[in-house]
Amino acid sequence: MPDLVELEDSESLRLARLFLGRTVDLVVDRPYGSRHPRCGFRYLLNYGYVPVTRAPDGEELDGYYLGPPEPIPWARGLCVGIIHRRYDDDDKLIVVPTGSPVPDDAAIADAVAFQETPVTTSSPGSDRQAARPRRLGARIAGRPLPWNCW
């Protein structure tokens, strides 16, 4: 396992760390196969939020559910990782069905690639700081895709 790298702390990351290794309930507001309301991309897994939480963006803490490829209204599972977004304070939980094997970083990156992409390069002096994918707990750090519409 590669060395864990110290990541810049953020409010969202501090909140997300509270759920790592715990059972999490998600309300799925963007089910498998649905389209993002503004960007139009299709969700290739179930995506939702942890009720009764408040992330820095004013909404609930979000999570990706790496379960069966079918739309569901809610999910319960084990939080096995965090997507740490280095360019906004909106980290995401990675949740798998209870009892499922924990996916490796590559499998997680593939599953969320429709909306997240690892930070791999940048030019010196740009507004993007030089970075590579980083392990957090046991998961990768990333940033929203450059074409996001937030």
Side-chain angles (χ1 to χ4, degrees), residues 40-96:
F41 62 81
R42 186 175 302 278
Y43 281 86
L44 303 179
L45 44 72
N46 289 291
Y47 178 85
Y49 59 88
V50 181
V52 196
T53 58
R54 188 68 53 209
D57 65 359
E59 301 292 328
E60 290 90 351
L61 179 64
D62 298 320
Y64 293 102
Y65 186 67
L66 279 60
E70 60 190 46
I72 55 175
W74 64 275
R76 174 175 283 164
L78 180 66
C79 177
V80 297
I82 299 165
I83 298 293
H84 176 57
R85 288 182 161 189
R86 299 184 67 204
Y87 298 95
D88 66 11
D89 197 9
D90 195 17
D91 294 351
K92 313 295 183 191
L93 301 180
I94 301 296
V95 180
V96 298

Side-chain angles (χ1 to χ4, degrees), residues 5-14 16-17 64 81-94 116-119 132-137 139-144:
V5 177
E6 190 67 31
L7 295 174
E8 183 177 325
D9 208 11
S10 67
E11 187 178 343
S12 181
L13 182 56
R14 286 189 295 275
R17 281 183 174 138
Y64 293 102
I82 299 165
I83 298 293
H84 176 57
R85 288 182 161 189
R86 299 184 67 204
Y87 298 95
D88 66 11
D89 197 9
D90 195 17
D91 294 351
K92 313 295 183 191
L93 301 180
I94 301 296
E116 310 282 347
T117 186
V119 178
R132 291 180 289 155
R134 305 289 191 210
R135 293 177 68 86
L136 172 63
R139 301 302 130 219
I140 64 171
R143 65 174 176 79

Side-chain angles (χ1 to χ4, degrees), residues 36 38-41 145 147-150:
H36 189 279
R38 288 185 306 251
C39 300
F41 62 81
L145 287 169
W147 47 262
N148 74 37
C149 59
W150 285 252

